[in-house]
Amino acid sequence: MKFIVCKNYDEVMTEAAAIVAGVVREKPDCILGLATGSTPLGMYDRLVAEYEAGKLDFSRVSSFNLDEYYPISPDNDQSYRYFMNTNLFNRINIDKANTRVPNGSAADPEQECKDYEAAIDASAGVDIQVLGIGQNGHIAFNEPEDKLYAYTHLTGLTENTIKANSRFFENESDVPRQALTMGMASIMKARKIILLATGAAKCEAVKELLSDRITTAVPASLLKLHPDVTVICDEAAYNCN
Ligand code: F6R
């Protein structure tokens, strides 16, 4: 696991966007693994700016997103599909038919998970996976537990995550209690992973990444088993006070 420590949020986003843009330039038909949450927003803005400046072409790019609430309709403004359309896909020339987000309105969520994992396997493989990290070390919706899941699955949200995500909803009771999420192995199938962590609230989680320990109590710590992971963080997330 490699670390890049930047001064602040903006620098983390610039660094992350440069890495993703590099993959798109080198391999115009690449497959991106994408995340929602507040962290990658600045990276998406920078990728959009490069596209608008005519420096980046997404016409042959495809993508897989990490997760989606369940149940939720894709046009609910809190769905991750809506988030991705608004913050990235509608702003660049990616073919939406080539973007996949788990279907939060699937009638059979277990089947949707199987189909999603099968679609990842049938693809040429994710070239770069972008990750955020929860304060408790979760990645996607893989929350600290004694046992983690390997593949895409339906999972319950912890109280911690419901609280953290309630800032986007009118009431905490509106936060869906379940989600469809890639598992640890689905994430680790990516050839390259970048994990973005900014702000002091993430520093305990980053500290666990800096340690030698691997534990299901900090799902992101399992990324130490992957050969090509770069953590890009700001000083606030890197240095716990
Ligand atoms: C988002 C996701 C989550 C977030 C994490 C951090 O697709 O899978 O694991 O990356 O909750 O969220 P933010 O960036 O809002 O702090």
Side-chain angles (χ1 to χ4, degrees):
M1 191 172 263
K2 202 176 120 189
F3 285 81
I4 299 177
V5 184
C6 303
K7 220 181 219 104
N8 52 34
Y9 175 83
D10 283 342
E11 285 188 14
V12 172
M13 293 304 112
T14 302
E15 185 71 36
I19 292 172
V20 174
V23 172
V24 174
R25 278 193 196 99
E26 200 170 298
K27 192 174 176 189
D29 61 347
C30 67
I31 303 183
L32 303 178
L34 300 172
T36 60
S38 30
T39 309
L41 284 172
M43 182 191 79
Y44 293 145
D45 285 343
R46 283 159 177 78
L47 291 173
V48 169
E50 292 232 7
Y51 161 70
E52 285 173 346
K55 294 183 190 158
L56 219 42
D57 174 18
F58 290 89
S59 59
R60 293 170 61 205
V61 170
S62 45
S63 68
F64 283 96
N65 258 79
L66 287 169
D67 44 15
E68 176 62 283
Y69 289 120
Y70 189 83
I72 202 161
S73 139
D75 36 64
N76 181 314
D77 63 6
Q78 292 308 325
S79 76
Y80 287 176
R81 164 50 80 181
Y82 187 94
F83 176 103
M84 290 310 301
N85 287 350
T86 328
N87 290 300
L88 186 65
F89 302 150
N90 289 346
R91 302 165 71 199
I92 57 176
N93 65 335
I94 198 165
D95 180 350
K96 279 238 206 79
N98 296 332
T99 67
R100 287 208 57 164
V101 178
N103 180 4
S105 59
D108 181 347
E110 313 282 351
Q111 190 58 47
E112 170 62 14
C113 292
K114 281 191 190 129
D115 292 348
Y116 202 74
E117 195 70 33
I120 297 171
D121 289 339
S123 77
V126 170
D127 291 290
I128 182 164
Q129 174 68 57
V130 178
L131 295 176
I133 185 169
Q135 293 178 29
N136 62 3
H138 73 239
I139 49 173
F141 275 111
N142 298 280
E143 299 277 7
E145 273 185 272
D146 289 347
K147 292 179 182 177
L148 299 177
Y149 287 82
Y151 304 114
T152 306
H153 59 285
L154 179 69
T155 187
L157 269 57
T158 62
E159 277 309 312
N160 188 311
T161 299
I162 292 168
K163 277 211 167 57
N165 291 11
S166 66
R167 66 190 193 274
F168 302 113
F169 291 82
E170 215 162 291
N171 299 301
E172 198 177 301
S173 60
D174 295 336
V175 184
R177 270 24 190 189
Q178 288 180 294
L180 307 167
T181 180
M182 281 193 198
M184 299 305 299
S186 349
I187 292 170
M188 295 223 260
K189 284 173 188 173
R191 291 186 186 91
K192 181 181 181 66
I193 297 175
I194 57 172
L195 183 148
L196 316 180
T198 62
K202 301 291 171 70
C203 98
E204 288 300 331
V206 172
K207 203 166 155 188
E208 289 287 343
L209 299 182
L210 286 162
S211 86
D212 237 5
R213 210 167 71 130
I214 291 170
T215 167
T216 62
V218 183
S221 69
L222 270 77
L223 297 172
K224 291 170 198 174
L225 300 169
H226 188 284
D228 189 355
V229 179
T230 303
V231 176
I232 313 174
C233 58
D234 64 3
E235 287 172 358
Y238 189 75
N239 302 308
C240 290
N241 291 312

